[in-house]
Amino acid sequence: MKRYLLFFLILLVLGAGLGVWLLRDPGYVLVSRGFTSIEMSLWLAVLGWLVSLVVAMLLISLLFQVLGMGEWWARWQGLRRQGSSAKALQEGSLALELGDWKRAERLLFNAARLSPQPLPAYLAAARAAARGQAFDRADQYLLLAEEQGNRLAVGLARARLLLEGGRWEQASILLARLQDSHRKDDHILLLRIEALIRLQKWGELSELLPTLQKLPEGEQGRFEALEKHAHREVMRWVALAGGRVDRPYAIKKLRKYWEGLPRRLRNDAELIAVYADELVRVGGDDEAEALLAEALPQQWTNAGIEVYGRARSTRPDQALARAQAWKMAHPHNPALLLALGRLQLQNRHWQEARDYFEASLALHQSPEAHAELIRLLARLDEGEAGRQVVESMATQNTRLPDLPLP
């Protein structure tokens, strides 16, 4: 209240001062045409000009209403603004593609400001600002876009910008919220999958992938490989985490996880080999050997037979007999020969193991077969050279299973 009173007093003083100044020197205006002239004070002329201006504006407005020109004028102005908006949108989009982020942002913001439907231009302006590292302005454009009502489109745009900026955790949280509201939208799901891949959250990813309603065209192979990779990483984590504390509990957890997978995955030869490998890691060798003994005759894989050779079952003679039977169908398979050599070690048949390792190497010079042969030769005391090679191989981080040696 005091503020308004002070403002009124200031205006009163200024008005009084202006009045005194006008009384001292009112000035004059002379209008002359031909033999006629009109003389009046300056301030009376100014007042007359203002009154005539107001009357002219009223007459023009009345004329527009009578002739129906108001709608035409509004349409003309709207078309002019739309034309300017379309031109700015086109030039801004081109600048965005050329990498001129600042110019693109300015043009796209102007396009949004002039357009009756500014959502696309605001989203494009946000993308330009984000690529120019102006993340605060990008967020402001997204907030302006959100006022247009399409929260899903704005949310997806914000998530894409977060992913492009490397803020994967924030993108994942935002996409999870969007998915709660739009369960059947695969666009959200695909972006969330990308965020989880970046974050390497394989557990969430393995649960999310089966909910994808429709795979993008040509992406089926990629998503199948991604699904198997996610399950492989989860099984590895279960084995590593549980194996340090309680191996029987880890075996139980692995078995439960495996049994919870869809049948199509439990019949996949690659995943069977992975599951068996993790069982061997935590001491479930008998279970791994039984699983592979059933799977390999139906779906032969080198990865599977490699795990089979490392599994330390309680009946190594039976495991060896099965593998020797498979040799009839795969006589020149170096992975099978390597596995047979390892199974011969488990049965303490040193010379037979050596023969199999050498046969495997004759077909394929694998580091694992070399390491197994050198380790065996060193323990059979075949010279200093063998022991030196063992020491050199130790620096290559070749992982060998714990098998009996002479």
Side-chain angles (χ1 to χ4, degrees), residues 50-66:
L50 290 173
V51 170
S52 63
L53 183 62
V54 171
V55 170
M57 291 177 65
L58 290 173
L59 288 174
I60 291 172
S61 177
L62 181 62
L63 184 63
F64 266 65
Q65 290 180 6
V66 171

Side-chain angles (χ1 to χ4, degrees), residues 61-334:
S61 177
L62 181 62
L63 184 63
F64 266 65
Q65 290 180 6
V66 171
L67 298 178
M69 296 180 67
E71 294 181 6
W72 173 85
W73 178 258
R75 267 198 317 273
W76 181 82
Q77 281 190 320
L79 290 173
R80 187 168 177 271
R81 287 171 63 89
Q82 287 180 21
S84 300
S85 174
K87 183 180 179 182
L89 181 61
Q90 181 179 3
E91 293 180 358
S93 300
L94 181 61
L96 182 61
E97 293 299 323
L98 294 175
D100 190 351
W101 315 128
K102 289 185 178 179
R103 183 168 180 269
E105 180 188 346
R106 176 173 52 80
L107 287 168
L108 291 166
F109 174 67
N110 286 335
R113 187 171 52 82
L114 295 171
S115 174
Q117 296 178 340
L119 178 63
Y122 275 134
L123 295 179
R127 189 159 61 252
R131 291 183 179 177
Q133 305 299 310
F135 296 110
D136 290 341
R137 287 203 303 275
D139 198 54
Q140 290 174 5
Y141 296 139
L142 290 173
L143 289 174
L144 289 171
E146 202 167 26
E147 293 176 1
Q148 304 305 311
N150 197 327
R151 292 178 177 271
L152 175 59
V154 176
L156 287 171
R158 181 177 277 115
R160 288 191 179 96
L161 293 182
L162 289 171
L163 286 172
E164 289 178 10
R167 294 181 285 180
W168 303 316
E169 188 69 46
Q170 291 174 262
S172 176
I173 294 170
L174 171 61
L175 289 164
R177 286 205 302 265
L178 285 174
Q179 196 176 12
D180 288 339
S181 305
H182 304 83
R183 289 284 181 183
K184 296 182 179 180
D185 196 304
D186 280 352
H187 294 92
I188 301 172
L189 191 54
L190 288 170
L191 284 177
R192 192 178 173 199
I193 286 170
E194 292 300 323
L196 293 174
I197 292 172
R198 298 284 190 174
L199 294 167
Q200 297 188 0
K201 292 187 175 181
W202 306 114
E204 287 185 48
L205 194 60
S206 64
E207 295 175 0
L208 200 62
L209 283 168
T211 65
L212 195 59
Q213 301 291 326
K214 184 179 179 181
L215 292 174
E217 188 175 352
E219 292 285 317
Q220 184 173 358
R222 174 177 175 258
F223 278 92
E224 286 178 357
L226 179 61
E227 185 179 30
K228 288 193 284 189
H229 181 77
H231 288 300
R232 180 167 64 247
E233 292 296 330
V234 172
M235 286 190 284
R236 181 172 299 169
W237 178 83
V238 171
L240 287 173
R244 296 191 189 100
V245 182
D246 187 347
R247 288 196 166 194
Y249 176 74
I251 294 172
K252 183 179 178 181
K253 288 279 288 184
L254 272 172
R255 189 185 302 121
K256 183 178 179 181
Y257 185 83
W258 176 255
E259 291 172 353
L261 294 181
R263 183 178 294 276
R264 62 181 177 83
L265 293 175
R266 285 187 282 120
N267 290 333
D268 183 83
E270 182 183 344
L271 280 181
I272 289 172
V274 170
Y275 174 52
D277 191 24
E278 299 308 328
L279 284 173
V280 170
R281 188 192 300 272
V282 295
D285 297 74
D286 279 336
E287 193 168 337
E289 190 271 339
L291 175 68
L292 292 169
E294 181 181 354
L296 283 170
Q298 301 173 24
Q299 299 184 80
W300 181 267
T301 62
N302 286 341
I305 191 59
E306 194 275 335
V307 177
Y308 189 85
R310 288 190 289 105
R312 297 286 306 276
S313 74
T314 54
R315 295 298 302 271
D317 54 336
Q318 290 184 1
L320 177 60
R322 288 194 188 96
Q324 286 175 328
W326 296 333
K327 189 170 179 290
M328 298 291 292
H330 309 278
H332 304 296
N333 187 296

Side-chain angles (χ1 to χ4, degrees), residues 370-398:
H370 267 297
E372 289 288 11
L373 179 60
I374 292 168
R375 182 171 68 166
L376 176 60
L377 292 177
R379 297 299 293 271
L380 290 173
D381 195 20
E382 294 207 1
E384 182 65 25
R387 287 189 288 275
Q388 292 296 328
V389 175
V390 172
E391 292 177 6
S392 66
M393 289 295 294
T395 64
Q396 298 182 17
N397 293 324
T398 302

